[in-house]
Amino acid sequence: MEGAGEQSGPQPSQPPQAGDHRICDGDFVVLKREDVFKAVQVQRRKKVTFEKQWFYLDNVIGHSYGTTFEVTSGGSLQPKKKKEEPTSETKEAGVDNRNIIDDGKSQKLTQDDIKALKDKGIKGEEIVQQLIENSTTFRDKTEFAQDKYIKKKKKKYEAVVTVVKPSTRILSVMYYAREPGKINHMRYDTLAQMLTLGNIRAGNKMIVMETCAGLVLGAVMERMGGFGSIIQLYPGGGPVRAATACFGFPKSFLSGLYEFPLNKVDSLLNGTFSSEMLSSEPKDSASVEESNGIVEEKQTSEQENEDSVAEAPESTLPEEQETMEIVSEDPDYKEPKERGSKKDYIQEKQRRQEEQRKRHLEAAALLNERNADGLIVASRFHPIPLLMSLLNFVAPSRPFVVYCQYKEPLLECYTKLRERGGVINLRLSETWLRNYQVLPDRSHPKLLMSGGGGYLLSGFTVAMDNPKADTSLKPSTSTLDLKKTEEPAAKKRKCPESDS
C-alpha cells in the first residue's frame, strides 16, 4: 500500500535544494496515475508521453509536489479542482447482481458517440457521467459494483496526472513493476531491509557494490543525506547510475561519492596498486558527466546499455512499458562542432579524465584506510569472491549485507564465511510480502502477490584472534569443565549413604 507524495513549502525563486517542496525547471519528478509511475525531468516545451497521453510539463513549475493535474486540449496541464462527491444516501443501488446479464447491450452510447464527445472537447468527468446515465443496468448494481464501474471508467476517460517527488520507495516500486530484471528482481521491502541491516545513516563511510542501475546507490545516498562518504565499486568501463539520476540529488550529495574500478581491488589488497594503473585504462568506454545531480553515462557494453532507461515514443512502447521514463540529459554537453574547435574538445575531455583519475586515487586512499562502516553488495555476480575481498576494507564490529536473487549462492557464501571466520551473527533471510486492499466493508488481501523478492545474507565483522590467544584459553575452559564434572560425582556418592 503506497501513499501519496510529499507536499508544501514555497521556494520557487531559489535554485533546487534538498529541502525545496516546489517543482522547479530541471527537477526530476515522478508522474503517478493509479499504480503506474514514470520518472521524467521537468523541461519547458518538452513533450512527455504517459499512459497513451502526451502533454507538456511547463505548467507544473511552481506548484507543490503531490498536486494532481488534468490534461487539457493542446497538451497543457491544469491543476484539478476537488469536487465534493455525492453521499451514499443519494445513490440508488440494487441488492445484488444476480439479474444483471453482460450481453453488451446495456450501454446506449456507442464508440462513435464517445469519440464525438471527445472531439467536442468535453472533459472526462462529463463523459463518465453520460456513460452512467445511459447505462440501463447501473442502478441495478450493488453499491460496491457501482464504485468499481465508476473507477474503471474514470481510469479510461479522465486524463489526470499526479506529480510526486522521487524517493527510494517510489523508484523501487516503479522499477520492480516495470522491469525487475534491471534491479536483479529486488523488491522494495527487500531494499528497505538492506538499508536497515546495513545501518545506513549520516556520517557513515560505506562501500557499495551493485549492478541495480544505481537504485541501491541512490537509496544509500538518500538515507545518508549528503553526510559521509560512499565508495562505489563498478565493473566494466564505468558506473551505471540511471536510477541515481532520477533522485535529483544536488551537487553537495555528489561531493562525497567516489568510484573505483572493481578489477583494481586485488592490486589494492596486494599493495601493488599505483596511479599508473589508472592512466592505462581506456577512457572512451565511459563518459560520466555530473551537473546538478544529472549523470549521463555512455557505455559500450550491452549490459550497461540495458541498465539505462531512455525515453521512447508511444508508437514503439506497449502500454505496460510506459510506466517509467528516465531522461538524463546534460545541458552543457554539446557536439565537438558546437563547442568550437576540436582542440578545445580534446582539452575538455582530458580535463575530465584527469578529474576522474583524481577521484579514483581519492577512493583508493579511502579504501586503504580499511575502516569502512559498512558494506552493501547487490550484484548479478557470484557473491563469494566479492565478499571475501571487500570484507578486508571493513572495520571490525561493522555490518555487511549481501543481496542475491537466488539463495544457493548465499548458502555457499554462508559456508565460506563460517570457514574463514572474522564474522558473527550470520543470517540468511527472505522477506514475505502481501498487499492488502483497505476499503470500508471490503478489506482483504489482494488476489495477486509477489512470488519472491530475493534473499539477504547479513552479519557483523569482528577482529580475527591470534592462534596463541586461542591456546591460552584452553586451560581455563578445561578447568571449568573439570569442576562441572566433579560436582555431580560428589552428589552421586551421597545418595547411597542417605538410603542406608
Side-chain angles (χ1 to χ4, degrees):
M1 292 170 287
E2 288 77 22
E6 299 84 353
Q7 295 185 6
S8 260
Q11 291 180 358
S13 60
Q14 299 179 358
Q17 299 293 333
D20 288 349
H21 299 279
R22 294 270 179 174
I23 305 172
C24 302
D25 188 12
D27 286 355
F28 282 91
V29 299
V30 176
L31 306 179
K32 179 179 180 293
R33 185 178 180 187
E34 298 292 335
D35 295 331
V36 182
F37 298 91
K38 188 175 188 178
V40 297
Q41 186 182 18
V42 178
Q43 293 179 344
R44 296 184 183 274
R45 304 308 300 167
K46 173 73 174 179
K47 182 184 287 188
V48 177
T49 304
F50 180 53
E51 287 288 278
K52 291 186 176 180
Q53 293 175 344
W54 64 269
F55 47 84
Y56 298 96
L57 298 177
D58 298 43
N59 292 342
V60 306
I61 298 175
H63 288 276
S64 301
Y65 284 102
T67 305
T68 301
F69 297 89
E70 187 174 4
V71 182
T72 59
S73 59
S76 178
L77 293 180
Q78 299 297 333
K80 185 180 179 181
K81 299 179 181 179
K82 294 183 180 180
K83 295 184 179 180
E84 296 183 358
E85 297 182 358
T87 59
S88 58
E89 298 178 357
T90 60
K91 293 183 179 179
E92 297 180 9
V95 179
D96 52 43
N97 300 328
R98 71 177 70 183
N99 296 323
I100 298 177
I101 301 174
D102 187 11
D103 54 1
K105 299 178 181 179
S106 59
Q107 182 56 248
K108 298 178 182 178
L109 290 179
T110 62
Q111 291 293 333
D112 296 335
D113 297 336
I114 297 174
K115 185 178 180 181
L117 292 175
K118 290 182 178 179
D119 295 338
K120 291 180 181 179
I122 297 178
K123 294 183 178 180
E125 294 180 357
E126 299 178 5
I127 295 177
V128 173
Q129 189 63 31
Q130 291 197 23
L131 288 172
I132 294 174
E133 294 174 356
N134 288 275
S135 176
T136 58
T137 58
F138 181 79
R139 290 175 179 81
D140 298 333
K141 296 180 179 181
T142 61
E143 182 179 349
F144 297 151
Q146 288 180 359
D147 293 340
K148 189 176 180 180
Y149 178 86
I150 294 173
K151 183 179 179 181
K152 180 180 178 181
K153 296 304 178 182
K154 282 184 176 181
K155 183 178 180 180
K156 185 175 182 180
Y157 295 105
E158 283 192 6
V160 292
V161 176
T162 303
V163 181
V164 297
K165 193 177 183 65
S167 64
T168 300
R169 178 185 59 83
I170 292 175
L171 292 178
S172 59
V173 169
M174 178 179 66
Y175 266 95
Y176 188 78
R178 183 181 183 270
E179 287 181 329
K182 293 186 177 180
I183 57 173
N184 299 329
H185 295 265
M186 179 188 294
R187 205 169 51 204
Y188 39 92
D189 60 310
T190 306
L191 178 59
Q193 290 288 326
M194 290 185 65
L195 299 177
T196 302
L197 294 173
N199 192 25
I200 311 298
R201 55 186 174 82
N204 271 8
K205 178 182 176 181
M206 299 298 302
I207 300 176
V208 178
M209 195 286 153
E210 59 111 293
T211 57
C212 300
L215 179 64
V216 178
L217 176 65
V220 174
M221 293 175 65
E222 183 188 64
R223 181 67 66 92
M224 294 178 63
F227 299 95
S229 58
I230 304 173
I231 301 102
Q232 181 189 9
L233 302 174
Y234 63 88
V240 178
R241 297 174 183 171
T244 311
C246 293
F247 283 88
F249 293 126
K251 284 187 177 181
S252 59
F253 280 57
L254 301 175
S255 61
L257 177 61
Y258 302 89
E259 57 195 44
F260 192 78
L262 188 62
N263 55 5
K264 299 294 185 295
V265 171
D266 289 339
S267 61
L268 200 62
L269 289 173
N270 299 332
T272 60
F273 177 79
S274 61
S275 59
E276 287 76 10
M277 299 178 65
L278 293 176
S279 60
S280 62
E281 289 185 349
K283 298 296 181 179
D284 295 334
S285 59
S287 174
V288 181
E289 301 182 4
E290 299 176 358
S291 175
N292 194 19
I294 303 171
V295 183
E296 180 183 10
E297 301 171 4
K298 299 177 181 179
Q299 310 274 338
T300 55
S301 65
E302 181 180 355
Q303 180 64 33
E304 291 164 350
N305 285 332
E306 289 178 357
D307 287 341
S308 61
V309 183
E311 179 184 5
E314 179 184 357
S315 59
T316 60
L317 286 177
E319 181 177 357
E320 62 271 9
Q321 288 186 354
E322 292 178 0
T323 58
M324 181 175 62
E325 172 187 3
I326 298 174
V327 184
S328 58
E329 297 180 357
D330 193 344
D332 298 333
Y333 178 79
K334 297 180 181 179
E335 294 296 329
K337 295 180 181 179
E338 298 179 3
R339 290 191 178 189
S341 63
K342 187 176 180 180
K343 184 178 179 181
D344 296 338
Y345 172 71
I346 294 175
Q347 291 178 354
E348 178 69 16
K349 185 177 179 181
Q350 291 177 351
R351 184 186 64 82
R352 295 195 179 191
Q353 290 177 359
E354 186 63 25
E355 290 180 358
Q356 184 180 7
R357 181 173 168 273
K358 289 180 180 179
R359 298 290 288 180
H360 284 173
L361 292 176
E362 292 175 359
L366 290 174
L367 289 174
N368 272 328
E369 295 175 359
R370 306 198 177 192
N371 59 352
D373 294 320
L375 172 63
I376 303 292
V377 178
S379 71
R380 61 182 183 271
F381 305 113
H382 202 285
I384 289 181
L386 292 174
L387 194 59
M388 294 301 173
S389 300
L390 299 180
L391 277 179
N392 296 310
F393 301 112
V394 183
S397 301
R398 299 296 189 273
F400 64 91
V401 186
V402 185
Y403 167 82
C404 188
Q405 183 183 352
Y406 311 101
K407 65 180 179 180
E408 288 77 13
L410 293 182
L411 287 173
E412 298 178 17
C413 195
Y414 180 91
T415 305
K416 289 288 184 180
L417 287 175
R418 293 296 298 267
E419 295 175 357
R420 171 185 177 271
V423 293
I424 60 171
N425 198 22
L426 282 179
R427 180 184 176 191
L428 180 59
S429 61
E430 178 192 16
T431 56
W432 190 82
L433 177 71
R434 165 170 271 180
N435 292 321
Y436 278 75
Q437 171 185 291
V438 180
L439 292 173
D441 299 328
R442 52 192 188 278
S443 295
H444 59 78
K446 290 188 176 180
L447 299 179
L448 299 178
M449 61 175 292
S450 173
Y455 300 85
L456 294 177
L457 176 63
S458 60
F460 287 86
T461 60
V462 293
M464 301 283 283
D465 291 334
N466 296 326
K468 294 182 179 179
D470 295 336
T471 56
S472 63
L473 293 175
K474 288 183 180 179
S476 61
T477 55
S478 60
T479 53
L480 290 175
D481 295 336
L482 289 174
K483 291 179 180 179
K484 290 181 180 179
T485 54
E486 289 174 357
E487 188 175 356
K491 290 182 180 179
K492 286 182 180 179
R493 294 193 189 98
K494 292 181 180 180
C495 290
E497 292 177 359
S498 60
D499 293 335
S500 62

